[in-house]
């Protein structure tokens, strides 16, 4: 997939909310359109959580995709995005891991988050990356978090990082569109936390515990229990891993 030069705004409530709203109002935008904001006032995370970011401090943007794929394949789109983010920060010397299905961590602390929302055949992928946040800034987040600045000991320009991420996104989403999870499998296995270990998976109010055996054809998580067949998990996220 190819991405266009980002449409940058000084301030938006949320790049994902605004992009979805523009689509619903009938604006015709091409696949690969990128909406970025130097500041979000109402950033959204997954499960109705807030996404906190600072003005000119962190990277917040959303991309529009019209993937020519079936529904099961969409499950692994956030995994392709997470791998693209890990590849982009590796270019700045940061070795990140992924957490099924769509988090990017360094040393168990969250560096970036991905929010995928579907509107018919259109998908809006919102990405938040902690760039220049200090430990004090991140104390507000409510979960262990880190930033590129904390990991590298220097400040980073958000516009340049976005350009680097878009190059990686083009590469990983192309691979994903052509091959689905099969194209991601080996990189995913090399990056995902908890593989082969006991994990806790949370899907809303449902908690499951078992051994993370691996991933199925579409990227569904395979959870093992004592004396039971591997159970495919299609939604939720890893909460704890040993
Ligand atoms: C998560 O880990 O909970 C997902 C966080 C996604 C945050 C990004 S920032 C850009 C886009 N706009 C939003 O309001 N949310 C996403």
């Amino acid at each position: 997939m190819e991405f266009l030069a980002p449409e940058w705004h000084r301030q938006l409530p949320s790049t994902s909310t605004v992009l979805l709203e523009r689509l619903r109002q009938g604006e015709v935008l091409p696949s690969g359109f990128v909406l970025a904001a130097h500041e979000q006032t109402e950033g959204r995370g997954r499960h109705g959580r807030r996404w906190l970011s600072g003005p000119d401090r962190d990277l917040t943007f959303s991309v529009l995709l019209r993937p020519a794929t079936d529904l099961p394949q969409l499950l692994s789109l956030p995994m392709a995005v997470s791998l693209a983010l890990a590849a982009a920060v590796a270019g700045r010397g940061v070795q990140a891991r992924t957490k099924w299905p769509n988090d990017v961590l360094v040393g168990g602390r969250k560096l970036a988050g991905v929010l995928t929302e579907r509107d018919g055949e259109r998908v809006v992928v919102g990405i938040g990356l902690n760039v220049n946040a200090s430990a004090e800034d991140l104390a507000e987040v409510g979960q262990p978090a880190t930033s590129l600045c904390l990991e590298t000991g220097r400040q980073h320009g958000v516009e340049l990082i976005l350009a680097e991420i878009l190059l990686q996104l083009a590469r990983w989403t192309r691979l994903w569109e052509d091959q689905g999870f099969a194209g991601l499998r080996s990189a995913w296995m090399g990056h995902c936390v908890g593989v082969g270990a006991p994990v806790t998976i949370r899907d809303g109010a449902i908690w499951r515990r078992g051994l993370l055996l691996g991933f199925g054809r579409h990227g569904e998580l395979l959870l093992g229990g004592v004396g039971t067949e591997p159970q495919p998990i299609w939604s939720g996220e890893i909460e704890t891993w040993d």
Side-chain angles (χ1 to χ4, degrees):
M1 292 179 185
E2 296 301 324
F3 292 91
L4 306 183
E7 182 183 298
W8 274 100
H9 291 255
R10 174 106 301 279
Q11 187 192 71
L12 290 177
S14 147
T15 55
S16 287
T17 307
V18 169
L19 183 45
L20 284 163
E21 194 56 33
R22 283 169 64 170
L23 293 169
R24 282 172 195 149
Q25 283 172 359
E27 189 171 337
V28 180
L29 293 167
S31 181
F33 177 78
V34 183
L35 185 65
H38 288 285
E39 179 179 5
Q40 286 194 139
T41 52
E42 290 165 42
R44 296 185 289 113
R46 292 195 304 277
H47 312 299
R49 291 188 290 242
R50 288 199 309 149
W51 181 261
L52 298 176
S53 56
D56 295 316
R57 189 187 82 190
D58 301 303
L59 178 62
T60 51
F61 70 102
S62 300
V63 301
L64 171 64
L65 302 175
R66 274 194 189 76
T69 56
D70 56 13
L71 211 51
Q73 190 172 334
L74 277 181
L75 175 70
S76 56
L77 172 59
M79 299 160 90
V81 174
S82 304
L83 288 172
L85 290 167
V89 299
R92 292 189 174 229
V94 175
Q95 299 312 313
R97 312 280 312 269
T98 57
K99 182 165 81 63
W100 185 85
N102 46 12
D103 280 326
V104 181
L105 313 176
V106 182
R109 298 174 175 273
K110 186 151 165 167
L111 178 69
V114 180
L115 174 69
T116 309
E117 295 171 297
R118 214 162 59 88
D119 179 33
E121 85 273 13
R122 303 176 293 209
V123 181
V124 169
V125 182
I127 296 169
L129 172 72
N130 300 327
V131 179
N132 294 311
S134 66
E136 205 174 44
D137 297 327
L138 294 169
E140 284 179 47
V141 168
Q143 60 175 307
T146 188
S147 69
L148 269 188
C149 179
L150 285 175
E151 297 302 325
T152 58
R154 64 184 176 93
Q155 299 262 314
H156 298 259
V158 290
E159 298 200 8
L160 194 55
I161 292 175
L162 176 52
E164 292 166 11
I165 290 174
L166 292 177
L167 287 177
Q168 292 296 338
L169 268 181
R171 173 170 167 246
W172 285 97
T173 53
R174 203 176 301 128
L175 192 62
W176 167 80
E177 198 169 41
D178 291 348
Q179 299 177 30
F181 181 67
L184 314 178
R185 180 180 285 282
S186 91
W188 183 261
M189 292 301 280
H191 280 82
C192 186
V193 297
V195 176
V199 292
T200 312
I201 313 289
R202 181 183 182 188
D203 186 6
I206 302 169
W207 292 77
R208 296 184 175 91
R209 184 148 178 89
L211 204 59
L212 202 178
L213 299 175
F215 299 90
R217 192 160 81 87
H218 297 291
E220 68 278 21
L221 186 150
L222 301 176
L223 196 64
V226 180
T228 57
E229 289 286 303
Q231 187 187 359
I233 311 289
W234 293 87
S235 63
E237 56 190 279
I238 299 177
E239 282 289 329
T240 65
W241 61 100
D242 299 339

